[in-house]
Amino acid sequence: MSNPLALFDDLREMYLRYLDSPFDLRYPDLVAERRALLGVNGRIFREPLIEPTPAYQIINQAFPGMVQTLLSASWSQAEITALADFVSLGLFQPGRIPYTHQQEVFAESVVNARDVIVTTGTGSGKTECFLLPILASLVRESVAWGQPGNVSPQWDWWNHHVSPTSNQWLPRIPQRHHENPVVRPAALRAIILYPLNALVEDQLGRMRTALDSANARNWLQMNRAGNRFYFGRYTSRTPVSGPRIASRTTRLRGELRSIQQEAKQVAGHNAARFFPRLDGGEMWSRWDMQDHPPDILITNYSMLNIMLMRSMEAPIFDLTREWLSADQSCVFHLVVDELHTYRGTPGTEVGYLIRVLLDRLGLQPDSDQLRIIASSASLADDPSGLDYLEAFFGRDRSRFRIIAGNRVNPNPASVQVLSPHALDLCQLGQSLQASPKIELAAAQAFHAAVGAPPSAAGAPADEVLFDGLQHIQAADALRIGCMPNGPQGSLVPQFPEDIGNSLFPALPAGQREKAIEGLVGGICTARNSQGTSLLPVRAHLFFRNLQGLWACSNPQCSAAPTRTTSCPTGQLHYAPILTCACGSRVVELLYCEACGEVFLGGYRSSSGLNPNEWFLSPDHPDLEASPEIASLDRNYASYAVFWPAPNGMQPVTQQWSQDTVQREWQAAHFVPAEGRVAHGGNPQAVRGYLYRVRQMHAPGGNILDSTPQGIAESASRAYPSRCPRCDTNWARRGIGSPVRTQRTGFQKLAQVLSDALLRDIGSENPDGRKLVVFSDSRQDAAKLSAGMRFSHYLDSLRQALATGMKNLGAGPLAFIAQLNGQALTQSEQAIANVYTANHPAEAFSLSMANGTMANQPSPAMPSLTNQEMAHQIQLRALHGPHPIAQLAIAVSAQLLMQGMNPGGYTQDVLWTNVAARSG
């Protein structure tokens, strides 16, 4: 799905549907009220912000002409031609016109030998700004490289034994063992430093296209004697860490086999650039890079810090130092991405890290052999910006040039061109809502309605749409709609409603919304004949965790909406407040996860009159405590749970023992006007039951602040282990109680939204989808990554179990119908095929039941004949029960079909599999 507004609608609906599942309530009216309460903008979501990217000025010639102009005075014609040819193979496609800021960066870095900071926006070609100077240096240096060596490279040592008759594996062979270090010295020519591993992974695809594509390899073979431009990722994901011992060599062998197999599986697909190939310029492992440093090392500052401290990585820096000292014309490039993230104490640490790096390489801060290229989203081209650069890099400010790019202002008249076609955009929006991919008929209808010139014969739908939107200047108009200070101002993310007010003020509100849906959705969907979008657009979609729900304690609440059945609470509230509009106290809404019964919960404070009564408050008594701390700080002494028993119900189990401690549901009443709960009955109050642990009370009735000595800690838990209505007992489960708050978990919500995102954005181009999950804490990010993966596995396992249980009987029955010559539907045939693949012995017995082998022993159960076994299989399929082993086979097969390890994703499972594959 390309339409961000439709994507937002899907995510919002998925979120609300998720709340209706694990947070289901047994009262339909409360479920409907909750959805209405949370479906309001600004609560658990915000309307999306639309941000079109700015347009940047381009130069008047393609890349070959640019380098010819800039380098003709200092490079030979052969060198210029070589650079233009190599860059055109992958980094800059022929005919692509560079931006002026790309030209300026190249000129300042390559020609003027200055350090450059690029401050253009996202999608402005900053990767090319980094790579072009590095490639220029590599292409020029490689002219002097001769044949790499006389030894043929052995790049797949992990697949071979010492001899055809030996069981002993071939020892590890370094990736570049065949090279002559005199002819082609191994050293770091550049380090690209990213703040996060996710950004490292993102840029590796660009590296593979620019340096290691089939065209790049052919060019290096023909023009550089078969040498490679080597690059490598050195992060926690790079195999294999630690000293070079036999067990780690075995692990490395398994890792490289797995990588090789994955590369084969995606060969020829668009996804291939996301997987390393082991027969080219990308370096395989840490050990290989320690032996022979790559030309370009891609890492993050944390890993670089570790590398500089350990002896095993010392050769990387020592060999680079030797290369730099051998020839003063050699230049080392330091690329620092997202420079603006290095502020305060972390920025100071990275600044010192760079100084240590330069010292290890033998480079002084003012060295002409050092070239710095960085990007920043906020660095100003003023004295304060230069102060920061000088302090961070320890390098004189005069060496730096800050390049912000030349933005192209949109045409102010584009709004007048676009406005008459508002109704056409409404129709386009409806078409895009009906189908995530624009249909040719809808694109042609829009194209004709706006009076656009004819498109090329046979043009696909997205190209026809592109021509129509370009004709009405849709891109410039959307930019102006996101420039509240006018066409000369800055682009600011805007809500669709604000864009609609700006572009279509005369339309009614409903039509404005539809017109913006058509405008934004159309721009994001349209592509020209080269596959380029009309305008890159960023959409900022905001969702937040539900921190809980609160409810009026009065079932007769006058502020509650009209209900079809009675409910034990009054009006629902999104945030904790003291008093409802009806005058009753508001407390927290709890529920039983097993049956959906609702409870009232609140922080206790003594009434001061009776030790067996308390006032309940919806807020934590420490007003400065964060919601996370407040949720963890609930215990029996501070928090009470009251069940407003509907229709005079009584607990199924009123008293029970857990951990040798007596628990009970004590008859009690709740006074809504006061928020007071007390033991005993009161005809003027809400009748119900209060969760009580007698041993947590002193003889006078007051609650003890801590668990008495010798009493189990579970006695101090705020929530009961039993539900009074359904009698579900979760005492032995880790969660401890079926009663819980209406609070979503960060990890689970991230998984739900990520799952919906991947489904939607991958519906048109599954190979092109990519999702990166960030957190502001490295520890939280690590937990989130592992937790989301494991939760996704558990959800997939549950779905596979449900499907497997449903199909266990259907599989043999479909196969029997097939044997009897009955026509099967497509789904029945698929079920029959899965059954025969998973249970070949049973399928054989069914096939032989009526033939010459009917009385022969069944391979599935030799004590029965094929005919007897077939009869038993048929009875089991019709009436059950089904063996657990068959269910396990069905579930495993379904998970494998989805590309998932049936054993899960824990490290012990993964390493066991690696060891098994390694033999």
Side-chain angles (χ1 to χ4, degrees), residues 750-772:
Q751 181 210 344
V752 170
L753 295 178
S754 298
D755 184 64
L757 266 174
L758 283 174
R759 274 202 310 272
D760 282 349
I761 65 177
S763 59
E764 300 167 37
N765 181 19
D767 292 337
R769 59 185 177 180
K770 180 169 54 179
L771 180 67
V772 180

Side-chain angles (χ1 to χ4, degrees), residues 767-779:
D767 292 337
R769 59 185 177 180
K770 180 169 54 179
L771 180 67
V772 180
V773 181
F774 289 93
S775 174
D776 56 2
S777 162
R778 292 176 63 88
Q779 185 176 11

